[in-house]
Every structure is written in structure tokens, then in C-alpha cells.
Amino acid sequence: MNPLPPPDDEDTLRPHVFDGIQEYDKRLPNWWLMTLYGAIVYAVGYWGYYEWLRAAPDGAQEVVQAMAKIEATRLASAPTTDDASLWKMSQNPIFVEAGRATFNTTCASCHTDKLTGAIGPNLVDRLWIHGGKPAEIYATVDKGVLAKGMPPWGPVIGAKKAAEVTAYILSYHTEGEPIEVQAAWIPPPPK
Ligand code: HEC
């Protein structure tokens, strides 16, 4: 049998013996202990940041955001303006936010930033003069109703922004809700 290797100064021999084998009570090296303590501190910080403060989106939210971005890029590269595509855009937060920005700078002066109507009609109720289906709303935005004071916006803001702004209006509506016909919009008296 090999003789025991010489012990470090601080090592003590543990009292038990198994099959003639003995072991030293070795102290764990500092680098090892630091890694352990560091991991504990990190875990507490990580838990606090993600679970307690919820300071950053979790994995599932990040996936949803990334998918919305991909979808927005895809929709914007070829803005199709059929009902199904426009409903889809109206559920995409990136598209809707872009539409909100355009609406507030370009449309809110006549329709108000709450879309409830002033010079131009309310766009959040169920009453529509020119049709409330997505493709009809897009057509009104694109071509306008010049004789009644609604400018044609297609040539001014382009197809992409017109689709975004339509998606923004649709974000206030749900697919399949009843659409009622309104003969004309009577602007509310100025306050
Ligand atoms: C200069 C004022 C004015 C601005 C700016 C304006 N609109 Fe209008 N809009 C009107 C008027 C007036 C009507 C009503 C037309 C009618 O009576 O036929 C209208 C009608 C509409 C309709 C049809 C509503 C219905 O009931 O069928 C939509 C949709 C619409 N506007 C969207 C927009 C969007 C989107 C923008 C911005 C890109 C915009 N409007 C900017 C004045 C405006």
C-alpha cells in the first residue's frame, strides 16, 4: 500500500477508515468558494430583477415582441389591403403604434385624437357613411371624399401609412361587430 501523501498544514485526518482508506478534511479552495458565493448573490439579483421587479420582459414576452416586429416588416413590405390583412395589422402593436402617430399628426385635427369626431365623423362608433369593413375604410382614407371635406390621403401619406392608420382605426373595433349605415355626419356644436 502506498504511504499517505504528506498533509498540508491545516488538513486534519478524518476519523473514519473504510477498507483501510482514510481521507483528509480538505478545505475548499478560495476560488471555488468565491464562485459559489458569487452564484448565490447573482441568483438573488436575477430573481429580484426578473421575478420581483419584473424590470425586463420575460422570454415569452420577448418572443411575442420579436414576432410582432417580423410580422410588421412583412406586412409593411407588401401592404395588402383586403379585410383579413387589415384586421391582422390591427392586432399588431407596431403597426398600430405607427398608425397612431400618423393619425395624431394628420387626422386628429378633424377627427380628434380620441377619434370621436369633430369636423369629420366619429370613427370609433358603429355608424359608417362609407362602409365600416376594413377595405372600405382603407378606400375612404386612400381616396377621400373631397366634396364633403375629407381629403384623399393615399397620394399624401402613401400606401404604407394609409394601411397603418386604417389598422389604428380598426384597433378600436372588433371583427364581426355590427356595422350600421349613417347618412351623414352632423358635426357637434363647437364648445
Ligand atoms: C380636413 C378635415 C379632415 C382631415 C384632416 C381628415 N378627415 Fe377623415 N373625414 C373628414 C370628413 C369631413 C369626413 C366625412 C365625409 C363625408 O361626410 O362623406 C371624413 C370621413 C372619414 C372617414 C369615413 C367615415 C365614415 O363614417 O365612413 C374615415 C375612415 C376617415 N375620414 C379617416 C381619416 C383619416 C385616417 C385621416 C388622416 C389620414 C383623416 N380622415 C383626415 C374630414 C377630415
Side-chain angles (χ1 to χ4, degrees):
M1 202 198 262
N2 288 332
L4 287 171
D8 292 341
D9 290 346
E10 73 267 32
D11 291 344
T12 53
L13 204 57
R14 301 191 66 185
H16 52 228
V17 182
F18 296 110
D19 289 341
I21 298 170
Q22 278 185 284
E23 58 180 352
Y24 289 121
D25 188 5
K26 291 288 265 187
R27 194 181 166 280
L28 287 162
N30 282 342
W31 67 263
W32 195 97
L33 289 170
M34 284 305 142
T35 312
L36 174 69
Y37 299 145
I40 291 169
V41 170
Y42 182 83
V44 170
Y46 186 95
W47 181 87
Y49 190 73
Y50 283 100
E51 298 296 330
W52 186 57
L53 292 175
R54 297 202 177 276
D58 64 28
Q61 289 165 324
E62 266 176 20
V63 169
V64 169
Q65 285 169 5
M67 292 306 285
K69 223 171 182 171
I70 293 167
E71 172 124 314
T73 313
R74 195 175 58 75
L75 291 171
S77 66
T80 31
T81 53
D82 56 282
D83 288 356
S85 306
L86 286 164
W87 277 124
K88 216 165 185 180
M89 292 175 197
S90 77
Q91 279 146 26
N92 185 305
I94 295 173
F95 238 78
V96 169
E97 274 315 302
R100 185 199 308 277
T102 305
F103 195 94
N104 288 344
T105 54
T106 315
C107 323
S109 53
C110 290
H111 292 279
T112 79
D113 60 0
K114 302 239 169 354
L115 290 71
T116 46
I119 298 166
N122 184 323
L123 303 174
V124 289
D125 62 7
R126 289 168 177 189
L127 302 168
W128 296 93
I129 307 168
H130 302 285
K133 294 229 179 75
E136 293 169 328
I137 298 172
Y138 179 84
T140 313
V141 175
D142 186 33
K143 307 220 160 51
V145 192
L146 205 49
K148 297 282 187 59
M150 165 69 180
W153 290 104
V156 182
I157 61 178
K160 179 171 173 277
K161 282 192 170 163
E164 287 167 354
V165 92
T166 305
Y168 172 58
I169 295 171
L170 286 170
S171 72
Y172 286 87
H173 296 271
T174 47
E175 198 169 352
E177 72 180 16
I179 293 167
E180 290 162 40
V181 180
Q182 185 180 33
W185 167 253
I186 298 141
K191 284 181 201 113

